Amino acid sequence: MDSNSEVEKSGPRRWDLRETAWLVTTAYGAAQWRKAHPSARSMVDRPQFCSYHYHEADGMLTEYIESRLEDGLWSALEDQQEFSYLMVKIRANIVAFVQSLHALADTCSHMLYYSLALDVAPKPLSERGINANSVLKLMEARRPSVSQNFGRLCDSFRAMTSGASYSYLAALSNTSKHRSVIRPSLNEDMTGERKDRWALLLESFSYDGTFYKESDVREFMRSEHDRIQALTVDIGIELNEFLKSTQTSSSQGP
């Protein structure tokens, strides 16, 4: 889960944000890139925040387990204040992770809306109306008339906000933000049947008529971050490829 200020990385695939800046500026002008740039930059910032919060929570817990719990969870009772404060810090990092990761979809919608100059349409969206659903709808309406690159861009953007893992992320983020923090608890496997002796389990909860069972939050944080970061890279690459294809078409003329 690594990133830097210029390029998001996922294996051999790289999204060059500087190329995006050049392509948007060339296609639509410097003023258009000034509108797109804050969101594009945040598509780098948000994964960095998520990586930081994940490693903070995981590192603090791992250090505590290795230094304090060799003899079992009952050892935490020797200093309940220390353990309670540890769990406060872990909860804070989990909530920050979840909300930053969930925000990526709407951040991406702003980047695409302005990078594709969708705001110059006769009926542009209001600022509050720019979100993943509304922008994807606009993109899908354009899909039949543009290149294959655009279709791949639509598919990757849709994948970012679909599937069971994203539904859980959205429910977790909205519940924690608007209703109550979903708390984790440290669980010790005394049977030896589980792969890991220690697990950090998020309590079960219900949201919008759906029940979500108890889950291993460290595994969820790792897998969902990796899934969405990979899609972030794909979206950036496909955006660049589409913008390059439109410029090639323009240069060739009718």
Side-chain angles (χ1 to χ4, degrees):
M1 294 188 289
D2 297 322
S3 58
N4 60 47
S5 61
E6 295 178 347
V7 180
E8 287 287 345
K9 297 182 291 186
S10 179
R13 289 172 62 79
R14 294 171 178 262
W15 168 28
D16 189 340
L17 188 56
R18 291 168 297 188
E19 183 179 38
T20 308
W22 182 84
L23 289 166
V24 173
T25 301
T26 302
Y28 306 115
Q32 193 67 28
W33 176 243
R34 284 196 294 271
K35 289 185 283 185
H37 176 250
S39 299
R41 181 185 59 198
S42 295
M43 292 294 288
V44 175
D45 289 340
R46 286 290 189 183
Q48 289 180 327
F49 297 165
C50 292
S51 182
Y52 169 79
H53 290 301
Y54 169 78
H55 287 296
E56 279 291 294
D58 188 62
M60 285 188 293
L61 183 60
T62 299
E63 181 181 359
Y64 185 82
I65 289 171
E66 292 176 351
S67 64
R68 295 285 195 275
L69 301 183
E70 184 178 352
D71 296 326
L73 189 56
W74 66 269
S75 302
L77 299 176
E78 296 177 1
D79 191 336
Q80 293 188 52
Q81 185 174 3
E82 179 190 26
F83 181 70
S84 295
Y85 185 49
L86 170 73
M87 295 305 293
V88 167
K89 292 187 288 184
I90 288 174
R91 285 200 301 272
N93 278 290
I94 291 173
V95 169
F97 170 91
V98 166
Q99 292 182 355
S100 260
L101 193 61
H102 185 234
L104 259 173
D106 282 335
T107 301
C108 187
S109 70
H110 282 75
M111 179 189 75
L112 293 175
Y113 184 69
Y114 291 116
S115 294
L116 297 169
L118 298 176
D119 60 313
V120 302
K123 294 182 179 179
L125 298 172
S126 67
E127 186 174 357
R128 290 175 60 87
I130 303 171
N131 56 56
N133 289 333
S134 62
V135 173
L136 181 59
K137 185 176 180 180
L138 291 175
M139 292 172 63
E140 289 287 5
R142 290 184 59 185
R143 183 172 183 159
S145 62
V146 291
S147 69
Q148 186 177 7
N149 299 106
F150 195 77
R152 289 195 291 267
L153 179 59
C154 292
D155 291 342
S156 292
F157 187 37
R158 184 187 304 104
M160 180 178 277
T161 57
S162 61
S165 60
Y166 183 79
S167 295
Y168 180 76
L169 173 68
L172 186 58
S173 177
N174 287 318
T175 300
S176 297
K177 182 164 59 175
H178 299 296
R179 186 188 306 165
S180 63
V181 172
I182 307 303
R183 290 193 167 195
S185 60
L186 186 59
N187 177 269
E188 180 181 13
D189 176 28
M190 306 291 290
T191 67
E193 296 178 357
R194 192 168 64 196
K195 177 183 176 182
D196 297 317
R197 177 183 176 186
W198 300 100
L200 191 64
L201 302 179
L202 275 185
E203 61 190 350
S204 61
F205 67 100
S206 294
Y207 179 76
D208 196 24
T210 300
F211 175 77
Y212 296 93
K213 63 182 181 179
E214 187 178 64
S215 65
D216 185 326
V217 67
R218 288 198 289 180
E219 174 57 27
F220 168 75
M221 290 168 74
R222 182 197 61 76
S223 61
E224 188 63 0
H225 180 272
D226 288 355
R227 184 186 78 86
I228 290 182
Q229 177 165 292
L231 285 167
T232 299
V233 175
D234 290 343
I235 288 167
I237 291 171
E238 287 151 9
L239 172 61
N240 287 358
E241 290 301 314
F242 169 69
L243 291 171
K244 283 189 284 189
S245 72
T246 60
Q247 292 182 22
T248 301
S249 298
S250 298
S251 65
Q252 292 175 344

